[in-house]
Amino acid sequence: MTRLVHTASELREAVEGRPGEVGVVMTMGALHEGHATLVRTARERVGDGTVVVTVFVNPLQFGPNEDFDRYPRTLDADVEIAGRAGADVVFAPAVDEVYPGGQPQVRISAGPMGEGYEGASRPGHFDGMLTVVAKLLHLTRPDVAFYGQKDAQQLALIRRMVTDLNFPAEIVGVPTVREPDGLALSSRNRYLSDGDRVIALTLSRALFAGRDALDDGPDAVRDAARTVLEKGEGLAVDYLALIDPRDFTEAAPGHTGPAVLAVAAKVGTTRLIDNIPLEFGARR
């Protein structure tokens, strides 16, 4: 049976002494099939070890005009979903448990990798994200932590932080989970009206069009994706970018190796992001 805990001391008591590896999946709640896939991946990896799911809506990640107050909080359902997927422990701390002295004076800086794309659209977001990830890595003490590839810049920054600051945890990226029609699963999808949801499919169609142009090089990938977005109606595009995931800068025209084709756009009042990984120069 999945155990729900709310404090650091309860978490330590629930995890310490258990055999095998500890895997952690960090979430802000409102769990869906994408999160469940992360938990199942963690369970498969650690075997008879311990899978911890954290549920914490981190106030440091939200700007003054963002949706912190209306962000969905569905803890009972989250515990049920996490448990069915294989979680042993759900750690759902209150804000004052994570930040006992109020908002922290010392924070992790995302640096240059966090300045573009999502960082440019949401100033301070990645500093807040890395700060809470660092705290949760300390609190959960995992051998391995699992994050979705849908949040590509977040994943790249977490990997860089763990490397640069010598965190003793392996970071595993898990492929994006999509609806049958291609829409990437997101907790914010629940804000979409039926009409908005149809418009939102333009994002994945653009990414898939870019992927289909892979053999023609980076410029062709960008052009193919951009053409789909320009034909879409009701979509306010924030950015479309072909990114080198090693430093999260724009991929050069002759780029070879891994890349991420990423898009962000507003559909109605809801801002959505999506991406697909690509490999230039690989045989297909």
Side-chain angles (χ1 to χ4, degrees):
M1 182 175 178
T2 304
R3 181 173 175 182
L4 174 63
V5 299
H6 297 283
T7 68
S9 60
E10 289 175 335
L11 175 64
R12 284 193 298 272
E13 191 273 329
V15 174
E16 284 183 354
R18 295 174 65 107
E21 289 189 312
V22 174
V24 67
V25 174
M26 298 181 187
T27 82
M28 291 208 301
L31 269 57
H32 49 64
E33 180 58 26
H35 298 106
T37 297
L38 291 171
V39 178
R40 286 193 292 268
T41 303
R43 169 52 63 205
E44 182 178 353
R45 164 62 190 270
V46 306
D48 293 332
T50 303
V51 175
V52 178
V53 173
T54 68
V55 175
F56 179 65
V57 184
N58 178 31
L60 301 191
Q61 291 176 230
F62 291 80
N65 298 315
E66 294 186 329
D67 56 355
F68 175 75
D69 288 333
R70 75 175 184 131
Y71 197 87
R73 279 119 168 128
T74 57
L75 183 57
D76 290 343
D78 294 342
V79 174
E80 182 177 349
I81 291 170
R84 286 202 308 265
D88 298 294
V89 180
V90 172
F91 177 46
V95 172
D96 59 3
E97 180 71 19
V98 178
Y99 304 120
Q103 292 206 357
Q105 297 298 303
V106 177
R107 308 185 186 196
I108 301 291
S109 170
M113 279 183 68
E115 292 175 357
Y117 311 111
E118 288 303 290
S121 299
R122 306 177 67 189
H125 167 74
F126 285 126
D127 292 356
M129 178 276 294
L130 290 176
T131 298
V132 80
V133 167
K135 290 180 73 75
L136 290 172
L137 286 173
H138 286 310
L139 289 167
T140 59
R141 304 175 188 175
D143 298 285
V144 56
F146 300 83
Y147 300 91
Q149 291 178 357
K150 176 176 169 291
D151 296 297
Q153 193 169 8
Q154 170 179 284
L155 176 59
L157 284 163
I158 291 170
R159 281 178 164 152
R160 189 58 184 255
M161 178 184 74
V162 165
T163 297
D164 287 353
L165 301 184
N166 298 102
F167 279 82
E170 177 187 350
I171 303 301
V172 173
V174 179
T176 300
V177 178
R178 298 183 180 276
E179 299 279 6
D181 58 11
L183 184 68
L185 291 185
S186 169
S187 299
R188 289 190 168 93
N189 288 353
R190 67 186 65 200
Y191 300 149
L192 299 172
S193 68
D194 290 344
D196 288 341
R197 197 184 183 288
V198 173
I199 295 169
L201 293 175
T202 307
L203 272 68
S204 56
R205 285 201 301 268
L207 297 178
F208 299 154
R211 181 181 61 193
D212 290 344
L214 179 64
D215 290 342
D216 296 324
D219 287 344
V221 168
R222 292 185 184 94
D223 290 344
R226 189 176 296 112
T227 296
V228 174
L229 291 176
E230 288 173 349
K231 291 179 179 178
E233 296 183 358
L235 198 68
V237 177
D238 185 351
Y239 62 79
L240 170 72
L242 185 64
I243 298 162
D244 185 334
R246 293 168 294 189
D247 58 6
F248 240 79
T249 59
E250 191 76 22
H255 179 84
T256 59
V260 175
L261 182 62
V263 63
K266 213 167 192 181
V267 180
T269 60
T270 304
R271 187 174 184 276
L272 300 174
I273 62 173
D274 199 357
N275 73 84
I276 54 171
L278 301 173
E279 183 79 24
F280 287 93
R283 291 186 178 183
R284 296 212 292 165

